[in-house]
C-alpha cells in the first residue's frame, strides 16, 4: 500500500471496471470515463491469463460487495422491526424463567442430597448404609440432571443474548452515525438560513437608506437575460495539454482522477486550457433577430411538424401514495445512485434509456445547424442543443428506472421529428448505456455512464461518457461531455435540480472550440439564476461568437464585431452585434404537475407500440404498472425483475469460474446491437452501433434479444 501511494498513477475499482483486449498482446482496463490503463503482455497466452484473472477478481469483488450490502441491510433493518424485537424479548424471558425453574430444582434436590448424605454418615449398620446409598444415588442423579438443564439454559440464553447484542450494537452504532450526519446537515441548513436572514435584513436596510438619502447612488434593477446589454464571459486560455481521450488533465484532477493512459497515445494529445479570462461583453440593443437563412419560421412555441400517427399527449395522473423519503434515503448516504433500492414511489414511469432520448426534444436546432455555412456559427447551434437537453430537468425530480442489462429502447420519429434512435444497456458493472441517433443530415451517438454519491443534503451525478455529433455533408465532428447535476433538499424542503460546471465542445474537423460555463445556483447572486455563458473560438483561438442564456429557458448568441484590449477596470471588451435566438424552451401544460411534469415528447416515449423488440422498455412490466397507477404491484414486480437479473449474473459468474478452472477463456458479455471499437478521435474504446437493428425490425427477427422481463 505504501508503494502504491507513492508510485501508482491512480486506481480503478474492480467491481466497476471494463476489461477488454485491443490486440494479441494488449489489454485495457477502464472505468468508462476518466481513467484508463493500457497493459501489454509478453504473449497472447499471458494476456489471456491476465484477462481471466481480472474477470474472476471482478466477479469476486461484485459478489463480495453485494453480500456485504445484503448483510448490512439485514443487520441494520432487522432490529427496527418491533415485532421481531418483541419476539426476542419473549424468547429471552422464557429462557430466564427456565433458568429460575432450574435454580429452584437445584436448591430442592441439593438440599435432599445433603440430607441423605448426613443420614448415611450417622448410620452404623452396614445393611442400612447400603440401602441408604441407593437413595443417595437417586438424589445425586436428580441433582445432576437439574444441573445439566441449568447449564443448557444458561448457554442458550448466553448465545441468544450475544447474537442479538452484536446485531443491536451494530444497529445502534449505525443509527448513531446516521444521526450525526443528519445533525451536520441540519446544522448546515441552519447556517444557510441564518445567512439568508442576514442578507435579507441587510438588503432591506440598504433599500431604506437609499430611499431616505437623496445623495446616495441609485442602482438599476437586475437585468434579465432578455434585456441585459452587458454581461461577462469566461474565455479559456490555452496553455496545457489534453489527453488522447479528449479530457483535460485538470478536469481529471477535479474529478478525483489521474492521467493513466499509456504513453503510446502521447502523440495524439492536443492543447487545452486550465485557466480563463473574464471578458466584458457589450451588445447592440437591437431586438433579437432570426436567422436569415431559415427556410421555415423557427417557431419555438410549438412542434415543427405534425405526426402521421395519432400519439397521446399525456400519461395517466400520478396517484397520491404518501411515503417518507428520509426513511428510505437515510440508509443510503455515501452509496452510488445505482445501488440505492428506491421504490417506484420516487421514480417516474420512464427508463434511463428513455430519458437519454429526451436529449433530442429540440432536434430542430441541429436541423438548423445543418444549413450553416460557417463552422463557428454551426458550433453555436450545437452548443445551444447541448444546453437544451437540460430544460426538462428544471421541474423533473423523479428518478428514472435503472435499465436491466440488455434492455433496449427504440424511438422512431422520422415521420414527424425527422430522427430515430436506438439505446441499449451494454454494461451492469459499471452501469453503461449506448445510444445512436440519426437525423436530417446529422448523426449523434454517445456512451453514457456516470458516478454519483448521496451526501444526505444533496445527490450529485457526474457524467463520464463522451457524446459525438457528425454532420454528414461537411464531416464536422463534435464531441462534448455533460456537466454535473445536483439534486438539492433531499431531507427538508422541495426537491430542485441544478446544473453546474464547464463544458468544452470541440470540432475535430476544423479545430473550432466552444467553452460553456454553467453557473451554479446561489441565493446571494444578484444575476440571473441558472445562467449559461460561453464563447465560440475558431481554429486560431479567436473568439467569433458569444453565447448567453439560461439552461431552463433560452439561449442567444451574438457575433463578435470588435475586440478591445481592456476597459478602465482592466477587463478585455468585446463589442457584439445584435442577439440572435438559438433556442427557446417549450413550456409543458399547466396541468403537467399531475403527471410527473412530463412534456409532450416525454409522455409519448413509453406509449405502447407494436413490433418493438422484446427487450424494449415499453415491455417492462414494473414500469408499465407504475404508469397505470398500480404502484404496489409495480414494486412487487420490480423486486422480481431485480432478483431475476441477480440470478442470471450469478450463473454467469459460476460459468466464468468454471471456465477459468478448466483453463478456458472467460466469456465476456457482448451487447446485442452495439460492438466495442476504438474511437479514432478520442482514443477510447466505446460501443458503436452495428447498424442492423432496423433491418432486424423490418424482418421481425428478434432471436438475439435476451429474456430479461
Amino acid at each position: 500500500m505504501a508503494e502504491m501511494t507513492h508510485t501508482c498513477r491512480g486506481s480503478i475499482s474492480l467491481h466497476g471496471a471494463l476489461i477488454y483486449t485491443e490486440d494479441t498482446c494488449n489489454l485495457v482496463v477502464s472505468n468508462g470515463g476518466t481513467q484508463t490503463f493500457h497493459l501489454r503482455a509478453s504473449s497472447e497466452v499471458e494476456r489471456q491469463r491476465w484477462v481471466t484473472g481480472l474477470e474472476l477478481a471482478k466477479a469476486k469483488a461484485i459478489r463480495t460487495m453485494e453480500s456485504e450490502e445484503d448483510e448490512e441491510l439485514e443487520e441494520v433493518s432487522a432490529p427496527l422491526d418491533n415485532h421481531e424485537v418483541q419476539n426476542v424479548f419473549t424468547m429471552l424471558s422464557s429462557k430466564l424463567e427456565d433458568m429460575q425453574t432450574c435454580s429452584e430444582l437445584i436448591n430442592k434436590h441439593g438440599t435432599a442430597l445433603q440430607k441423605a448424605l448426613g443420614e448415611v454418615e450417622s448410620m452404623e449398620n452396614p445393611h442400612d448404609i447400603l440401602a441408604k446409598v441407593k437413595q443417595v444415588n437417586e438424589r445425586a442423579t436428580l441433582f445432576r440432571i437439574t444441573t445439566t438443564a441449568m447449564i443448557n439454559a444458561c448457554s442458550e440464553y448466553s448465545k441468544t443474548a450475544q447474537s442479538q447484542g452484536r446485531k443491536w450494537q451494530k444497529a445502534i452504532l449505525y443509527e448513531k452515525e446516521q444521526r450525526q450526519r443528519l445533525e451536520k446537515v441540519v446544522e448546515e441548513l441552519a447556517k444557510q438560513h441564518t445567512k439568508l436572514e442576514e442578507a435579507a435584513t441587510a438588503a432591506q436596510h440598504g433599500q431604506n437608506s437609499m430611499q431616505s438619502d437623496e445623495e446616495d447612488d441609485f442602482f438599476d434593477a437586475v437585468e434579465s437575460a432578455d434585456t441585459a446589454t452587458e454581461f461577462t464571459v469566461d474565455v479559456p486560455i490555452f496553455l496545457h495539454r489534453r489527453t488522447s481521450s479528449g479530457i483535460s488533465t485538470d478536469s481529471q484532477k477535479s474529478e478525483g482522477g489521474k492521467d493513466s493512459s499509456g504513453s503510446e497515445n502521447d502523440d495524439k494529445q492536443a492543447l487545452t486550457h486550465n485557466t480563463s479570462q473574464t471578458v466584458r461583453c457589450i451588445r447592440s440593443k437591437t431586438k433579437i433577430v432570426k436567422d436569415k437563412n431559415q427556410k421555415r419560421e423557427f417557431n419555438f412555441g410549438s412542434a415543427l411538424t405534425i405526426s402521421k400517427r395519432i400519439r397521446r399527449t399525456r400519461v395517466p395522473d400520478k396517484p397520491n401514495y404518501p411515503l417518507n423519503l428520509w426513511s428510505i434515503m437515510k440508509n443510503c448516504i455515501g452509496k452510488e445512485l445505482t445501488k440505492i433500492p428506491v421504490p417506484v414511489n420516487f421514480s417516474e414511469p420512464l427508463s434511463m434509456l428513455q430519458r437519454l432520448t429526451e436529449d433530442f426534444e429540440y432536434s430542430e436546432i441541429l436541423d438548423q445547424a445543418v444549413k450553416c455555412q460557417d463552422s463557428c456559427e454551426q458550433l453555436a447551434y450545437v452548443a445551444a442543443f447541448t444546453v437544451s437537453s437540460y430544460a426538462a430537468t428544471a421541474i423533473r425530480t423523479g428518478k428514472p428506472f435503472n435499465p436491466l442489462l440488455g434492455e433496449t429502447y427504440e424511438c422512431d420519429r422520422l415521420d414527424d421529428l425527422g430522427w430515430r434512435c436506438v439505446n441499449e444497456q451494454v454494461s451492469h458493472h459499471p452501469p453503461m448505456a449506448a445510444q445512436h441517433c440519426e437525423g436530417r443530415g446529422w448523426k449523434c451517438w454517445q456512451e453514457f455512464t456516470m458516478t454519483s454519491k448521496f451526501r444526505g443534503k444533496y445527490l450529485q451525478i457526474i457524467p463520464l461518457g463522451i457524446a459525438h455529433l457528425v454532420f454528414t455533408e461537411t464531416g464536422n465532428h463534435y464531441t462534448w461531455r455533460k456537466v454535473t447535476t445536483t439534486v438539492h433538499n433531499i431531507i427538508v424542503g422541495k426537491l430542485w435540480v441544478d446544473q453546474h460546471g464547464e463544458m468544452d465542445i470541440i470540432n475535430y474537423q476544423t479545430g473550432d472550440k466552444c467553452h460553456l460555463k454553467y453557473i451554479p445556483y446561489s441565493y446571494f447572486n444578484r444575476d440571473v439564476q441558472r445562467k449559461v455563458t460561453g464563447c465560440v473560438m475558431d481554429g486560431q483561438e479567436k473568439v467569433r461568437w458569444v453565447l448567453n442564456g439560461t439552461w431552463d429557458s433560452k439561449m442567444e448568441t451574438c457575433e463578435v464585431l470588435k475586440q478591445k484590449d481592456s476597459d478602465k477596470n482592466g477587463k478585455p471588451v468585446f463589442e457584439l452585434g445584435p442577439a440572435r435566438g438559438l433556442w427557446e424552451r417549450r413550456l409543458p401544460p399547466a396541468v403537467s404537475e399531475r403527471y410527473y411534469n412530463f412534456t409532450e415528447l416525454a409522455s409519448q416515449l413509453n406509449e405502447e407500440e407494436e413490433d418493438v423488440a422484446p427487450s424494449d422498455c415499453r415491455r417492462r412490466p414494473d414500469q408499465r404498472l407504475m404508469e397505470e397507477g398500480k404502484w404496489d404491484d409495480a414494486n412487487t414486480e420490480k423486486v422480481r425483475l431485480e432478483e431475476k437479473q441477480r440470478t442470471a449474473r450469478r450463473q454467469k459468474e459460476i460459468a466464468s469460474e468454471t471456465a477459468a478452472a478448466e483453463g478456458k477463456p472467460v466469456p465476456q458479455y457482448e451487447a446485442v446491437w452495439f460492438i466495442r471499437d476504438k474511437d479514432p478521435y478520442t482514443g477510447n474504446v466505446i460501443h458503436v452501433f452495428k447498424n442492423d437493428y432496423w433491418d432486424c425490425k423490418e424482418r421481425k427477427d428478434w432471436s438475439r434479444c435476451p429474456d430479461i422481463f
Side-chain angles (χ1 to χ4, degrees):
M1 289 299 294
E3 182 182 357
M4 177 177 169
T5 303
H6 292 289
T7 63
C8 186
R9 292 188 295 170
S11 60
I12 296 175
S13 179
L14 265 179
H15 71 267
L18 297 174
I19 306 166
Y20 47 86
T21 58
E22 286 187 318
D23 50 36
T24 56
C25 295
N26 293 327
L27 65 144
V28 177
V29 182
S30 172
N31 67 349
T34 57
Q35 290 183 287
T36 303
F37 293 124
H38 296 267
L39 307 177
R40 183 177 180 84
S42 59
S43 63
E44 185 176 0
V45 175
E46 184 183 4
R47 184 215 64 182
Q48 191 56 46
R49 288 177 180 172
W50 272 100
V51 172
T52 302
L54 289 171
E55 288 288 354
L56 288 177
K58 176 181 177 180
K60 291 179 180 178
I62 294 173
R63 190 161 56 246
T64 301
M65 178 187 65
E66 291 178 346
S67 63
E68 289 177 351
E69 290 178 352
D70 293 341
E71 182 180 354
E72 176 185 299
L73 184 61
E74 291 176 0
E75 291 182 347
V76 171
S77 60
L80 301 179
D81 187 354
N82 292 331
H83 181 68
E84 183 177 350
V85 172
Q86 189 63 36
N87 289 339
V88 173
F89 282 151
T90 302
M91 182 172 58
L92 290 176
S93 299
S94 175
K95 298 295 181 185
L96 188 59
E97 290 177 359
D98 292 343
M99 292 167 60
Q100 290 175 346
T101 302
C102 291
S103 176
E104 293 174 358
L105 291 175
I106 287 175
N107 291 331
K108 176 181 178 182
H109 294 304
T111 302
L113 179 61
Q114 289 178 352
K115 181 179 179 181
L117 290 174
E119 292 176 353
V120 170
E121 290 178 354
S122 62
M123 289 182 179
E124 296 180 356
N125 189 346
H127 296 286
D128 295 337
I129 292 175
L130 291 176
K132 202 65 177 176
V133 166
K134 184 177 179 181
Q135 184 181 4
V136 168
N137 288 335
E138 292 177 355
R139 299 288 185 186
T141 301
L142 291 173
F143 183 80
R144 185 174 64 252
I145 293 173
T146 307
T147 306
T148 303
M150 180 68 169
I151 294 173
N152 292 336
C154 291
S155 177
E156 291 177 2
Y157 183 89
S158 176
K159 288 179 181 179
T160 303
Q162 287 178 359
S163 62
Q164 295 298 326
R166 286 193 299 267
K167 189 175 182 180
W168 291 344
Q169 186 176 6
K170 289 183 179 180
I172 292 172
L173 181 61
Y174 185 82
E175 290 294 334
K176 180 181 178 181
E177 293 175 352
Q178 297 299 93
R179 180 167 295 182
Q180 290 175 348
R181 289 194 181 105
L182 180 59
E183 288 175 354
K184 291 180 180 179
V185 171
V186 174
E187 184 179 355
E188 291 180 7
L189 290 174
K191 290 180 180 178
Q192 291 182 1
H193 183 70
T194 303
K195 290 180 180 178
L196 283 173
E197 288 182 342
E198 293 175 352
T201 303
Q204 185 176 5
H205 290 167
Q207 185 178 4
N208 294 336
S209 63
M210 284 194 301
Q211 293 176 353
S212 61
D213 192 350
E214 295 180 354
E215 296 181 357
D216 287 346
D217 294 332
F218 288 86
F219 297 93
D220 294 333
V222 178
E223 294 180 305
S224 67
D226 300 338
T227 61
T229 58
E230 290 192 20
F231 55 93
T232 59
V233 171
D234 289 340
V235 178
I237 300 176
F238 289 84
L239 296 174
H240 294 274
R241 303 187 68 81
R242 179 175 295 273
T243 65
S244 59
S245 60
I247 308 162
S248 67
T249 55
D250 296 314
S251 66
Q252 284 183 329
K253 292 177 183 178
S254 67
E255 295 175 6
K258 298 182 181 179
D259 181 14
S260 55
S261 57
S263 60
E264 59 206 3
N265 293 322
D266 291 345
D267 57 340
K268 296 181 181 179
Q269 292 177 336
L271 290 177
T272 187
H273 66 89
N274 76 328
T275 185
S276 61
Q277 184 179 35
T278 302
V279 178
R280 180 177 168 222
C281 298
I282 304 175
R283 72 180 180 186
S284 171
K285 294 186 179 181
T286 308
K287 292 183 179 181
I288 297 175
V289 298
K290 294 183 180 177
D291 193 347
K292 298 178 181 179
N293 298 324
Q294 285 182 340
K295 296 181 180 179
R296 66 173 184 269
E297 185 70 13
F298 199 53
N299 185 2
F300 296 108
S302 61
L304 297 177
T305 55
I306 300 176
S307 173
K308 297 178 182 179
R309 172 188 170 183
I310 300 177
R311 299 181 182 272
R312 67 183 184 183
T313 58
R314 55 165 295 170
V315 296
D317 286 352
K318 177 181 179 181
N320 184 18
Y321 277 74
L323 189 64
N324 186 0
L325 176 61
W326 177 244
S327 66
I328 302 294
M329 304 302 286
K330 69 177 182 178
N331 295 328
C332 305
I333 295 178
K335 291 186 179 181
E336 284 280 349
L337 175 63
T338 53
K339 297 181 177 63
I340 298 177
V342 180
V344 301
N345 305 54
F346 302 110
S347 299
E348 59 181 19
L350 288 178
S351 169
M352 188 64 194
L353 301 180
Q354 293 165 317
R355 283 293 294 265
L356 290 176
T357 306
E358 285 191 73
D359 288 356
F360 300 98
E361 180 159 3
Y362 298 94
S363 60
E364 62 267 20
I365 305 175
L366 297 181
D367 296 337
Q368 185 61 34
V370 172
K371 304 174 184 178
C372 295
Q373 301 298 321
D374 180 28
S375 61
C376 289
E377 182 184 6
Q378 185 182 74
L379 181 51
Y381 278 97
V382 174
F385 170 74
T386 64
V387 175
S388 70
S389 64
Y390 295 107
T393 64
I395 55 176
R396 294 263 293 280
T397 56
K399 177 182 177 294
F401 280 70
N402 292 329
L404 303 173
L405 183 62
E407 188 172 337
T408 61
Y409 178 70
E410 69 161 77
C411 188
D412 189 352
R413 301 299 294 265
L414 286 175
D415 61 337
D416 55 348
L417 302 180
W419 53 266
R420 64 181 184 181
C421 76
V422 177
N423 303 335
E424 181 181 358
Q425 188 75 1
V426 296
S427 173
H428 185 70
H429 287 288
M432 180 182 294
Q435 180 186 68
H436 182 87
C437 186
E438 303 169 353
R440 301 183 181 120
W442 52 268
K443 292 183 179 180
C444 187
W445 66 92
Q446 67 171 320
E447 190 178 66
F448 182 83
T449 183
M450 65 181 183
T451 179
S452 59
K453 287 293 183 181
F454 174 59
R455 298 301 185 189
K457 185 175 66 172
Y458 63 89
L459 175 69
Q460 197 167 65
I461 303 167
I462 305 171
L464 300 179
I466 297 177
H468 295 253
L469 172 66
V470 172
F471 292 96
T472 54
E473 184 176 347
T474 62
N476 288 336
H477 189 128
Y478 301 92
T479 64
W480 67 89
R481 173 179 290 169
K482 296 185 175 183
V483 296
T484 300
T485 299
T486 302
V487 183
H488 294 273
N489 289 349
I490 298 294
I491 301 175
V492 180
K494 184 178 180 181
L495 291 176
W496 61 279
V497 178
D498 191 25
Q499 315 290 344
H500 53 90
E502 298 184 5
M503 177 189 293
D504 289 324
I505 309 172
I506 302 174
N507 184 347
Y508 285 89
Q509 183 81 1
T510 63
D512 302 337
K513 306 175 186 68
C514 177
H515 179 73
L516 293 177
K517 184 175 183 179
Y518 291 69
I519 300 173
Y521 190 97
S522 174
Y523 292 105
F524 311 106
N525 186 5
R526 296 183 60 200
D527 205 347
V528 179
Q529 299 291 358
R530 296 170 174 172
K531 189 173 183 180
V532 181
T533 61
C535 60
V536 175
M537 296 165 285
D538 58 20
Q540 287 71 43
E541 300 174 10
K542 179 182 178 181
V543 179
R544 297 281 304 280
W545 296 84
V546 171
L547 297 100
N548 185 39
T550 58
W551 55 263
D552 67 334
S553 179
K554 64 196 302 184
M555 285 297 294
E556 301 168 359
T557 185
C558 301
E559 187 175 7
V560 178
L561 303 179
K562 183 188 287 188
Q563 300 184 18
K564 295 182 181 180
D565 291 338
S566 62
D567 59 6
K568 61 181 181 180
N569 296 324
K571 289 183 180 180
V573 178
F574 289 166
E575 291 187 6
L576 310 178
R580 177 190 299 179
L582 297 176
W583 160 73
E584 186 173 343
R585 178 186 173 196
R586 291 187 286 269
L587 294 177
V591 296
S592 64
E593 287 188 9
R594 300 178 186 173
Y595 50 94
Y596 315 95
N597 288 309
F598 278 4
T599 62
E600 185 173 313
L601 176 63
S603 299
Q604 297 167 353
L605 292 177
N606 202 45
E607 189 173 7
E608 293 186 272
E609 292 186 17
E610 298 179 356
D611 301 329
V612 297
S615 56
D616 195 277
C617 299
R618 299 176 183 87
R619 301 184 183 275
R620 181 165 174 167
D622 55 345
Q623 187 173 306
R624 180 63 60 189
L625 288 169
M626 183 194 176
E627 182 184 290
E628 295 172 353
K630 303 173 183 177
W631 283 15
D632 291 337
D633 296 337
N635 279 317
T636 302
E637 190 65 21
K638 183 173 182 286
V639 172
R640 183 190 69 82
L641 290 176
E642 291 172 348
E643 185 58 35
K644 182 177 181 180
Q645 182 177 234
R646 283 193 206 96
T647 302
R649 187 168 63 251
R650 292 189 188 110
Q651 292 175 352
K652 291 178 182 178
E653 292 171 359
I654 294 173
S656 299
E657 293 176 354
T658 303
E662 297 174 355
K664 299 178 181 179
V666 176
Q668 296 184 356
Y669 177 80
E670 297 291 340
V672 179
W673 309 109
F674 291 80
I675 188 172
R676 286 175 179 166
D677 196 7
K678 191 170 185 178
D679 186 352
Y681 292 93
T682 64
N684 293 335
V685 175
I686 63 174
H687 284 83
V688 181
F689 190 48
K690 294 180 180 179
N691 291 309
D692 58 352
Y693 179 88
W694 302 110
D695 293 336
C696 290
K697 181 180 180 180
E698 187 176 353
R699 300 193 310 267
K700 298 183 180 180
D701 179 13
W702 303 119
S703 57
R704 288 187 287 169
C705 293
D707 177 20
I708 57 176
F709 299 145

